[in-house]
Amino acid sequence: MKLLTSTPRLIREIYEDRRLLIDLSAKDMQRRFSGTYFGLLWGILQPLMTIIVYWAVFQFGFRSGDVGEVPYVLWFISGIVIWLYISEAFTFASNSFLEYNYLIQKVKFNVNILPLVKILSSFYIHLFFLIIVMLICACFGYYPTLRFLQILYYMAASIILVFAMSILSSSIMVFFRDLNQIISIILLMGMWGTPIAWNMDMFSSDIQRILKLNPFYYLVEGYRDSILGRKWFWERPVLGAYFWILTFVILIAGIHIYTRLKPHFADTV
């Protein structure tokens, strides 16, 4: 019963501190690139170079399979743009309690917004990067359709999933610092276990069903559906239901762990 009440209470506390959350996330984004000559431009240049390298390797080095009528570069960047956001946001959010340890010492500060501070900080850069992706698509003659509006749904889904994972990981990270290295391995496996650079049709139907258990698959394909105008989100009802059930299970588990460990944060950080 306590678990059922703690979840809506945490959501309510986040909503009450929404202005502080937005202010801290904007300052966090600025602080990340403060002291550099190009500033926020590095937030776009770094993932852009990552995309160029991956695209060149898989387009000209490895044969990743036919992706249909869409040019491979558009198929690739429309999938990796959301993965870069997820991996960056999850990494930073998992360290949020350690990085903002001075705020944890304040009795009246709701520390549960700290993972979201990092998630939103990365989200702002994601928006800039998404604009670049749309410009590249336009250069190839692919312009936004009405289906592009559903990208707002997939954005919200990605934020909720990353928050669910990070409220769990950041709570554990306070007591188990090695988790940071484990997360790096998980993200590496997630990158290659998600059809970002390779086509799912390369595998049999049985293997495809196993690979679709990866919740990131739903988001990657959702971004492709939105950017390339392929499907509406309600045309994937089974995947959608599975994604949200898994996400809320992770969220409830994360809030439970966070609630149990929170009283001991100040003694550890």
Side-chain angles (χ1 to χ4, degrees):
M1 188 66 181
K2 184 178 180 181
L3 179 60
L4 296 177
T5 59
S6 60
T7 300
R9 183 174 65 250
L10 182 139
I11 296 174
R12 185 180 65 253
E13 291 174 352
I14 292 175
Y15 177 77
E16 292 173 351
D17 285 339
R18 61 190 182 278
R19 293 186 178 180
L20 176 61
L21 171 61
I22 295 174
D23 183 57
L24 286 176
S25 61
K27 290 181 179 178
D28 183 86
M29 181 183 65
Q30 297 172 357
R31 184 169 59 88
R32 192 186 307 180
F33 302 102
S34 62
T36 61
Y37 186 77
F38 291 104
L40 294 177
L41 188 60
W42 285 116
I44 299 176
L45 289 177
Q46 290 174 347
L48 184 61
M49 290 305 300
T50 301
I51 285 180
I52 292 174
V53 171
Y54 276 122
W55 167 69
V57 168
F58 282 92
Q59 176 72 52
F60 303 107
F62 301 103
R63 297 299 179 184
S64 52
D66 182 26
V67 294
E69 299 179 357
V70 180
Y72 178 80
V73 62
L74 301 187
W75 182 87
F76 175 71
I77 64 174
S78 60
I80 198 173
V81 64
I82 179 61
W83 172 257
L84 291 176
Y85 164 64
I86 290 173
S87 58
E88 177 183 279
F90 182 46
T91 300
F92 289 149
S94 297
N95 288 279
S96 58
F97 290 154
L98 295 178
E99 182 175 345
Y100 286 98
N101 56 3
Y102 58 92
L103 292 177
I104 295 178
Q105 306 294 335
K106 296 185 177 182
V107 178
K108 295 183 179 181
F109 186 82
N110 291 328
V111 299
N112 50 39
I113 70 171
L114 292 179
L116 270 177
V117 168
K118 291 295 186 178
I119 293 171
L120 290 184
S121 175
S122 298
F123 182 73
Y124 301 145
I125 298 175
H126 173 65
L127 291 178
F128 285 114
F129 198 43
L130 184 60
I131 293 174
I132 294 177
V133 171
M134 299 307 299
L135 291 175
I136 295 175
C137 290
C139 292
F140 281 82
Y142 285 79
Y143 300 97
T145 65
L146 192 60
R147 288 188 175 92
F148 182 74
L149 295 177
Q150 69 182 347
I151 204 168
L152 298 175
Y153 160 77
Y154 287 109
M155 285 178 176
S158 64
I159 291 175
I160 295 173
L161 175 61
V162 174
F163 176 71
M165 296 188 303
S166 60
I167 194 68
L168 173 63
S169 60
S170 58
S171 299
I172 299 175
M173 186 84 74
V174 174
F175 305 93
F176 183 62
R177 309 296 171 89
D178 289 355
L179 182 61
N180 193 36
Q181 307 302 322
I182 297 175
I183 288 176
S184 298
I185 297 174
I186 293 175
L187 290 175
L188 179 62
M189 295 173 61
M191 168 66 189
W192 297 109
T194 307
I196 298 172
W198 47 269
N199 193 354
M200 182 78 82
D201 295 336
M202 298 168 57
F203 300 97
S204 65
S205 58
D206 292 335
I207 296 179
Q208 287 186 33
R209 281 193 289 269
I210 295 175
L211 293 174
K212 288 179 181 179
L213 295 177
N214 177 357
F216 303 131
Y217 169 81
Y218 180 70
L219 298 175
V220 169
E221 288 300 295
Y223 257 61
R224 287 186 175 132
D225 290 340
S226 304
I227 295 173
L228 302 177
R230 302 189 310 181
K231 291 183 178 181
W232 289 103
F233 69 90
W234 57 75
E235 295 182 60
R236 301 180 184 272
V238 177
L239 278 176
Y242 166 76
F243 172 84
W244 285 112
I245 292 173
L246 179 61
T247 297
F248 282 112
V249 167
I250 298 173
L251 178 62
I252 293 174
I255 292 175
H256 175 66
I257 296 297
Y258 164 78
T259 304
R260 294 287 299 272
L261 297 181
K262 179 184 174 182
H264 307 287
F265 284 174
D267 298 330
T268 306
V269 298

